[in-house]
Amino acid sequence: MSGIVSHVVRRGLQATQEHYQSSESEVTTFQIPVWGIVILWISGLAYLGLMAAIRYTYGSVVATLTMIESPTATAYLKTETSVESDDPDAPLIGKDEKAALKEPELLVVKAQPITAKLRTTIQHLRARAGWFSRFRGLQVALVYQVVHVCLTGFFSELFPRGGPTGPCLSAVLAAALLARLPLTWTHVVISDPTNKRWFRRIPSFKSWMQIVPATIVWATAEQLTIALPTVLYRAFDLARWTQNPGEIGDIDETSRKMIVMQFFSVAAVAVGTAVLILIPATVTLKRVQASLLPEEDEAIVPFDRTFGGRVIPEIVGGTGKLGIVEAWRSFEWAARIRLVKVYAKMFAMQVALTVLFAGVCLAELQLIMGDELQKMIMLAQARQSGEDFIYVDPRDN
């Protein structure tokens, strides 16, 4: 992030210089000291690290536990201890009525899910697996990301360039070949701690055959979530306005409203595909992966291995895993609402962190540049509006 800030600052200075050179005006340059750049870099790295931690802990670990948790239910027998009365005027009760009153009543109380709140989920993980449990499975995730990027780049060379088809197919193919790594990650995240290293928990090739269909569905959904808004963005030629925002002021009001609607359409498509396509595909994949959890591994949250009787063990002639369609159908509406809340809270935390960092970054720039920061901002504003700019130092007044 600090690199982006530094680039934006330097690019703004360069653009300002070019503007005033073309108008034969005096060129104003700004210098950022080395210690200032170091501070911005450290702040940027801290911001990126915190954003990644929030995304991984809540968007991956907690969300996965929410997808597979099966809240427990406890049954109680409520019985009448006595049907006799000490009141001499009380009506007499027959034997049949006494038997009916003494018949026990079965009460089923459903416990609150552990993943109902972010705090209770983190506290549960910390109690069962230690403080770093919020980052469990991180090694597998990093290995998968690195290998996936390499394979995607390799496969991209095999497809024609110039369109989204090649990169999308390359990413799906790479995800399918590496399906056992995400399967291992899910098993590490949802199970109790074990002495086994993660690479010793990679399932056999038979498990790859069982999980690859759901992996392909998820990878395709992920690429659609990226490709559809991108295609729409390019079709509207919105890059012209993002690269040159000053040109928006040169068009009429109707055209400006149309551009706003186009940006809104791209955002709506991005959110819609994520909610309606990617999230169901992710839930399906995680639940199918969870159904393949080895018998010797105990789940870290309440977990029904049979998914309500939908998973039939191989020993009795079943497949031993949850089907793709049943994986989504068996995901109750209450759990879906909890999952949406997890994603919403994660997004809110990231927005709050971004606003906080923007304020810190502005304060740092003010500390580093002093009055030069205000001058730089006013120069940039003057360039966008096409007006002449004369800077008056407040200390001269």
Side-chain angles (χ1 to χ4, degrees), residues 247-328:
E247 295 183 2
I248 297 180
D250 300 332
I251 60 178
D252 58 89
E253 184 67 21
T254 303
S255 299
R256 281 198 294 269
K257 290 181 179 179
M258 181 61 65
I259 293 172
V260 172
M261 290 299 299
Q262 290 174 346
F263 274 107
F264 178 80
S265 299
V266 173
V269 169
V271 174
T273 52
V275 173
L276 300 178
I277 298 179
L278 183 58
I279 290 181
T282 303
V283 171
T284 299
L285 175 63
K286 297 303 179 184
R287 291 174 70 82
V288 174
Q289 291 172 337
S291 69
L292 296 173
L293 183 69
E295 291 291 338
E296 63 269 17
D297 293 336
E298 291 293 333
I300 201 168
V301 294
F303 173 56
D304 179 14
R305 290 177 179 269
T306 67
F307 290 88
R310 295 177 175 85
V311 177
I312 303 176
E314 293 180 327
I315 194 173
V316 295
T319 61
K321 74 176 185 68
L322 189 64
I324 293 178
V325 177
E326 291 298 326
W328 174 248

Side-chain angles (χ1 to χ4, degrees), residues 74-126:
T74 305
Y76 296 93
L77 286 176
K78 181 181 179 182
T79 59
E80 293 290 342
T81 57
S82 176
V83 295
E84 303 294 341
S85 176
D86 295 332
D87 186 358
D89 297 329
L92 297 177
I93 302 178
K95 293 183 178 180
D96 294 339
E97 293 176 340
K98 288 182 180 181
L101 289 174
K102 291 183 179 181
E103 185 177 352
E105 180 182 359
L106 182 64
L107 299 177
V108 179
V109 179
K110 201 169 185 178
Q112 184 181 29
I114 294 174
T115 56
K117 296 181 179 179
L118 298 183
R119 179 179 298 180
T120 56
T121 307
I122 297 300
Q123 290 175 346
H124 176 78
L125 287 175
R126 189 181 301 172

Side-chain angles (χ1 to χ4, degrees), residues 215-245:
T215 302
I216 292 176
V217 171
W218 168 79
T220 303
E222 183 182 44
Q223 294 306 310
L224 285 176
T225 305
I226 299 173
L228 291 180
T230 302
V231 170
L232 192 61
Y233 178 85
R234 293 177 178 176
F236 289 150
D237 193 23
L238 296 179
R240 171 187 174 186
W241 309 111
T242 55
Q243 295 173 0
N244 302 287

Side-chain angles (χ1 to χ4, degrees), residues 17-27:
Q17 293 174 7
E18 292 174 355
H19 171 73
Y20 283 97
Q21 284 177 345
S22 62
S23 60
E24 299 181 356
S25 299
E26 181 183 357
V27 177

